[in-house]
């Protein structure tokens, strides 16, 4: 009756609880009903390895490492925790998180291993996506800067450090006004913040000052980021140094102006 009540309670948890006898560590003698969603197998399929052993569901590249990790944890009477991939009954691959520990009798003898296994596939995929996004941002030639709602810098990429001369560790915790050159008047910033405060992105040109005091022109886009409640929690700025382009354009315009003047003189 105690086991029935325990199984009924565990059936409502989003994951799979298990128990293995000490002498057959990888053969489960109890599995909660959550194994159906997690693995595609019913409890009676996994208990005693009737249809499949859970160890067989673990992708081969993780098995030896996990076995060693568990042996070491049990030898030291510690909890073991790991993330790895399994292949379900349908052939789908899932990431799972497992935590377990040994059960000991009054003489300190290991009698069983109990634990819990949960599906963390969505979290792992989201983490992988964040890593890809971070790698793309880090490799970008444009400066990327993220602040909190108060305008305090939380993140800058490598391009920001190269363009501005401010190392990442020096920029984080500062306000972006460390780049102010004084070339824009207060009205410029008032209009910019009025637009950002309304939740709309802003695009424009800054004349900024690098750490060494030299000036550069930046084309920037700043976008507010809202939370689920609609409150602005971050600002993301992406900027490109266009100083050389402007110089090239000015030189081109100067040459065209000289050419027109020369043509006028020839026509006289």
């Amino acid at each position: 009756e105690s086991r029935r009540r325990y199984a009924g309670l565990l059936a409502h948890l989003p994951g799979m609880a298990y128990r293995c006898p000490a002498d057959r560590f990888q053969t489960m003698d109890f599995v909660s009903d959550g194994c159906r969603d997690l693995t595609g197998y019913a409890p009676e399929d996994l208990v005693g390895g009737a249809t499949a052993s859970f160890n067989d569901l673990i992708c081969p590249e993780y098995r030896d490492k996990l076995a060693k990790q568990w042996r070491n944890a049990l030898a030291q009477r510690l909890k073991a925790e790991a993330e790895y991939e399994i292949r379900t009954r349908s052939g789908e691959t899932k990431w799972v998180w497992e935590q377990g520990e040994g059960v000991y009798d009054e003489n300190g003898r290991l009698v069983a291993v109990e634990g819990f296994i949960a599906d963390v596939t969505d979290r792992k995929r989201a983490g992988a996506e964040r890593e890809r996004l971070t790698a793309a941002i880090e490799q970008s030639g444009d400066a990327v800067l993220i602040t909190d709602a108060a305008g305090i810098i939380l993140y800058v990429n490598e391009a920001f450090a190269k363009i501005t001369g401010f190392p990442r560790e020096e920029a984080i915790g500062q306000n972006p006004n460390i780049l102010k050159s004084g070339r824009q008047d207060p009205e410029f910033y008032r209009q910019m913040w009025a637009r950002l405060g309304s939740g709309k992105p802003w695009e424009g040109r800054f004349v900024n000052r690098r750490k060494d005091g030299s000036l550069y022109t930046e084309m920037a886009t700043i976008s507010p980021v809202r939370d689920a409640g609609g409150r602005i929690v971050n600002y993301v700025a992406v900027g490109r140094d266009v100083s050389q382009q402007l110089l090239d354009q000015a030189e081109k315009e100067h040459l065209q102006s000289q050419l027109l003047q020369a043509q006028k003189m020839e026509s006289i």
Side-chain angles (χ1 to χ4, degrees), residues 109-180:
R109 184 173 61 91
L110 178 69
V111 295
V113 176
E114 293 181 345
F116 187 79
I117 303 172
D119 184 350
V120 294
T121 304
D122 290 344
R123 178 176 63 77
K124 290 290 288 189
R125 288 175 179 168
E129 185 62 30
R130 283 195 298 272
E131 289 177 3
R132 285 193 291 270
L133 179 59
T134 300
I137 291 173
E138 283 299 319
Q139 294 170 23
S140 171
D142 293 340
V144 178
L145 176 149
I146 301 175
T147 75
D148 62 14
I152 301 302
I153 298 174
L154 303 176
Y155 168 84
V156 296
N157 67 347
E158 186 61 28
F160 174 92
K162 289 181 179 179
I163 292 171
T164 68
F166 285 95
R168 191 190 309 250
E169 60 275 10
E170 191 172 330
I172 291 174
Q174 299 286 342
N175 189 289
N177 62 18
I178 58 174
L179 303 176
K180 264 190 176 182

Side-chain angles (χ1 to χ4, degrees), residues 58-78:
I58 299 172
C59 292
E61 60 268 30
Y62 299 97
R63 291 175 191 166
D64 290 343
K65 181 180 178 181
L66 288 170
K68 181 178 180 180
Q69 182 178 347
W70 275 98
R71 284 195 299 269
N72 291 339
L74 292 172
Q76 300 177 63
R77 296 196 176 193
L78 300 174

Side-chain angles (χ1 to χ4, degrees), residues 1-10 30:
E1 177 63 15
S2 176
R3 173 169 287 206
R4 187 192 65 78
R5 290 179 179 176
Y6 186 53
L9 175 64
L10 292 175
F30 168 78

Side-chain angles (χ1 to χ4, degrees), residues 78-98:
L78 300 174
K79 284 185 178 180
E81 183 177 331
E83 288 186 355
Y84 53 90
E85 290 178 285
I86 65 170
R87 192 169 298 279
T88 68
R89 189 170 198 167
S90 66
E92 176 188 5
T93 300
K94 290 183 177 180
W95 275 97
V96 299
W97 168 83
E98 179 180 0

Side-chain angles (χ1 to χ4, degrees), residues 23-61:
D23 59 343
R24 291 179 295 135
F25 168 56
Q26 294 177 331
T27 302
M28 298 170 175
D29 64 1
F30 168 78
V31 180
S32 71
D33 203 54
C35 68
R36 297 178 189 272
D37 289 336
L38 185 69
T39 70
Y41 290 93
E44 56 269 24
D45 293 327
L46 297 180
V47 170
T51 301
S53 163
F54 186 82
N55 189 61
D56 293 337
L57 305 185
I58 299 172
C59 292
E61 60 268 30

